[in-house]
Each structure stands twice: as structure tokens, then as C-alpha cells.
Amino acid sequence: MAINNRYEFMFYIQCRNGNPNGDPDLGNAPRMDPQDMHGYITDVAIKRRIRNYVQAAFSGRPGMEMLVKSATNINTGIARAKDFAGVDVSAKGKNEVYAGRRAACEHFFDVRTFGAVMSTGPNAGQVRGPVQLTFARSLDPISAQDIAITRMAAAKDVAGAKTVEDYLKWEAEQSEDSLRTMGRKQFIPYGLYEARGFISANLAQETGFDEADLKALFEAILNMYEHDRSASKGEMAVITPLVIFRHVGTDSDESQRARQAKLGCAPAHRLFELVEVKKKPDVDCPRDRSDYTAHIHLEKRPAGVDIGFMTSPYGDIVWNQVPEDAEFFG
């Protein structure tokens, strides 16, 4: 059964001595706003890590496959969806397209969650997903650095080499310096990024996004960098807690309260304003989350909205009070 409550959520991503999201058009430099020098991480980059985690953590479970996977053809997944539906993959009539769309929502977590454009190739239509993410934006300007590095080995094609001995003979004839190369590396010393998300109960009815999917989404957000280590992202982490706003309604009439819970009881931007994270006055260059103060104004919580905190990817959500093990808001 699809979720019946509207949600918003927000979380913080810490990056230390890494590249949170490189721009391929700028030599993989960390992405930033050129006007105020604040960094950002695209929604696509965050979704990629959510997909990767769910794919690894829920492998083999029905309904938890991914349509958008690395180094694959999306049209193959669209064809599989129509095959799941028991219709001709090449058929593009209205009924066949809709059957493929419905099957894609049933079998692919990312379609059910984020939606997908599946009107290419075999054509299974389009799905507007209930979960949408913003770009994550750093709380302060970042200092993007481009440093030179030395690679102690070369990677050159050797003309006429066909055996290991040919390559060894060529190496022996080269000078030591010619077998070294230079490279470059882009990184930031530190950045704390705020990301925001929205979950529509109305769109969830269309895709079948349910409570189990919601739990898997939150688990993936808290764990996504724990299984995505690399030289550029070795010290990236989601700082707990994940902050969740759940609309529950206020009306004494049950049907009207359910309507309010689905449509919402307060504007999303007003809810995000309840969370206040600031750099400490005596800190010039933040290098850790402890260089910030964090506070959430629970006393200003609007009627009909619960505020939840999730500090563990496998734990429960604590509603309307800050948990003792929260890294922020403590």
C-alpha cells in the first residue's frame, strides 16, 4: 500500500580533503556557484549513490532492481519491464505502453521512487516519481584546489610489442624520468553541504511507493557514502540525524485529516527554516562539523506536522524530540 503522508526531509553531507562532485566540463573541478563560491552536489550524484546502495543492500529482493545502472542501456530495462508485463516488447500501443509502465514501477525501485523517462526504444511511457531532491549546497564558500601529482609509472603503447619480454626490453631501454608522468588532482579541504528532499503522497499512489520503500530510501541516504569510498571521496559522510517532516493533519474528521496528511499542513520552505546550522563565530575556516552549531526549533513546529530524527540507518525514527545520539542538534 502506497504511503499516505506527505514528507520533506533534509540532511548534511561532510567532505574533507576530497572532491564531492566534479564537473567534467571544468577538468573535474569541484562544482561551485561562481558568484558566491559556495559548493554544490547535484541531485543526480546523490541519486546515483542511493541507487548503488539499494542495489547492493537489497540485491535479489523482488521489486528492488534498478532501471538506471552504471554502464548499461536503459532500453534493455524498458524491454524487460514490458516482458515482465507479458506484452510484446516491440508493441507501442497505449495498452502495451501502460502495461510496461506499471511493470517498471513494480520491479524497479528507482522508477517507483524517482520516476523515469521510458519513452525511448521499446517505450514504456514516463513516470513522475514521488521523491525529488535538490542540489546539496555548502553552508560556506569552499576553497577548490588543483594540485600537481607525480605518477611513478607510465602507460604507453609500445609499437610492435606482442609479448611480456617485448615490454620488458622496451622498459630497459628507457630513462627513469621518461617512465614517470605528471597529473593533477582537484579537491576541497572541507565542506559541509545541506541537501533537501520532498516526497509526494499523491505521486506515490501512482507508482506504489510504500512504507518499505520509504525506509529503504532513508537507510540508503544515511549509508550511501559508507559504500562509495574512493581516493576523492574517502572522507565523505552523511552527518546524523536525518531530519524528517511528516504531515499528519489536524482535523477531527478522519477523512479530512487524511486529506490534510496527503496534501500537507505547512509550506516546505517554512519547515526547512526550523533548522538552523551556523558556523561558530570564532571559526574562520571550518574543517569539521564541530565548527558549526546546529539547532532545530521544535517549539515552532506547525500544527499537523511531526518532526522526526533518524540517527541510524537501521534504527527507528524518533518523533518530536531530539535523540541523545544525534551528532547535530545535541
Side-chain angles (χ1 to χ4, degrees):
M1 183 177 178
I3 61 170
N4 291 309
N5 301 79
R6 193 185 104 185
Y7 290 87
E8 283 83 36
F9 59 91
M10 59 195 307
F11 56 97
Y12 292 85
I13 301 170
Q14 175 176 266
C15 176
R16 183 186 288 114
N17 296 328
N19 187 347
N21 187 202
D23 186 342
D25 288 332
L26 293 174
N28 205 43
R31 298 181 189 272
M32 68 169 65
D33 184 329
Q35 291 185 309
D36 63 12
M37 308 305 286
H38 284 242
Y40 60 91
I41 304 171
T42 65
D43 60 320
V44 175
I46 297 172
K47 289 177 183 178
R48 177 72 271 152
R49 279 154 188 86
I50 292 173
R51 285 185 172 101
N52 288 348
Y53 177 82
V54 172
Q55 191 174 346
F58 298 92
S59 176
R61 295 196 189 183
M64 301 303 282
E65 292 188 50
M66 294 294 149
L67 175 71
V68 182
K69 296 185 288 188
S70 297
T72 60
N73 184 350
I74 292 177
N75 286 341
T76 303
I78 298 172
R80 291 186 64 223
K82 296 184 78 169
D83 195 47
F84 287 141
V87 299
D88 188 337
V89 169
S90 61
K92 297 183 180 181
K94 181 178 179 179
N95 292 337
E96 290 83 2
V97 169
Y98 185 77
R101 179 184 184 276
R102 185 171 59 247
C105 289
E106 292 173 358
H107 289 272
F108 299 120
F109 172 85
D110 56 344
V111 175
R112 201 165 57 248
T113 304
F114 303 127
V117 176
M118 300 180 291
S119 52
T120 59
N123 192 356
Q126 299 184 24
V127 176
R128 187 178 177 192
V131 179
Q132 301 299 327
L133 294 165
T134 64
F135 283 18
R137 179 178 170 84
S138 68
L139 300 183
D140 289 286
I142 60 171
S143 175
Q145 301 190 25
D146 180 13
I147 60 173
I149 58 174
T150 303
R151 186 180 183 188
M152 300 306 294
K156 296 183 178 180
D157 290 329
V158 178
K162 297 180 179 179
T163 66
V164 174
E165 287 73 19
D166 291 338
Y167 282 99
L168 290 173
K169 181 177 181 297
W170 179 86
E171 280 188 18
E173 295 170 351
Q174 309 306 309
S175 67
E176 184 176 344
D177 286 342
S178 69
L179 293 174
R180 285 197 289 243
T181 60
M182 299 297 292
R184 307 204 67 80
K185 195 164 192 173
Q186 294 77 25
F187 75 103
I188 61 172
Y190 186 79
L192 184 64
Y193 294 73
E194 180 183 282
R196 300 176 177 184
F198 311 84
I199 306 176
S200 166
N202 291 306
L203 293 176
Q205 307 295 319
E206 293 290 320
T207 70
F209 183 85
D210 60 17
E211 293 292 339
D213 294 326
L214 184 71
K215 185 175 181 180
L217 172 68
F218 291 156
E219 177 184 328
I221 289 172
L222 288 174
N223 250 348
M224 62 183 176
Y225 288 109
E226 302 304 315
H227 300 271
D228 189 55
R229 302 299 181 192
S230 66
S232 66
K233 296 175 178 62
E235 290 192 82
M236 290 193 68
V238 174
I239 305 303
T240 61
L242 172 68
V243 182
I244 304 161
F245 303 97
R246 179 179 65 183
H247 298 258
V248 295
T250 60
D251 203 281
S252 58
D253 180 81
E254 185 175 343
S255 62
Q256 181 64 15
R257 188 169 64 253
R259 181 176 182 272
Q260 292 173 344
K262 185 176 292 186
L263 296 177
C265 299
H269 72 276
R270 293 285 300 277
L271 297 177
F272 293 136
E273 289 173 357
L274 299 177
V275 180
E276 187 177 7
V277 180
K278 292 183 177 180
K279 183 177 66 176
K280 292 179 178 178
D282 57 340
V283 174
D284 291 326
C285 300
R287 290 295 183 267
D288 189 79
R289 68 175 185 274
S290 61
D291 291 331
Y292 291 86
T293 58
H295 182 72
I296 184 160
H297 297 277
L298 287 173
E299 75 281 1
K300 297 181 180 179
R301 175 169 61 93
V305 178
D306 288 335
I307 302 178
F309 303 90
M310 192 171 180
T311 59
S312 167
Y314 314 114
D316 295 326
I317 301 171
V318 177
W319 295 103
N320 301 324
Q321 62 177 355
V322 179
E324 293 182 0
D325 58 342
E327 293 176 278
F328 267 7
F329 317 121

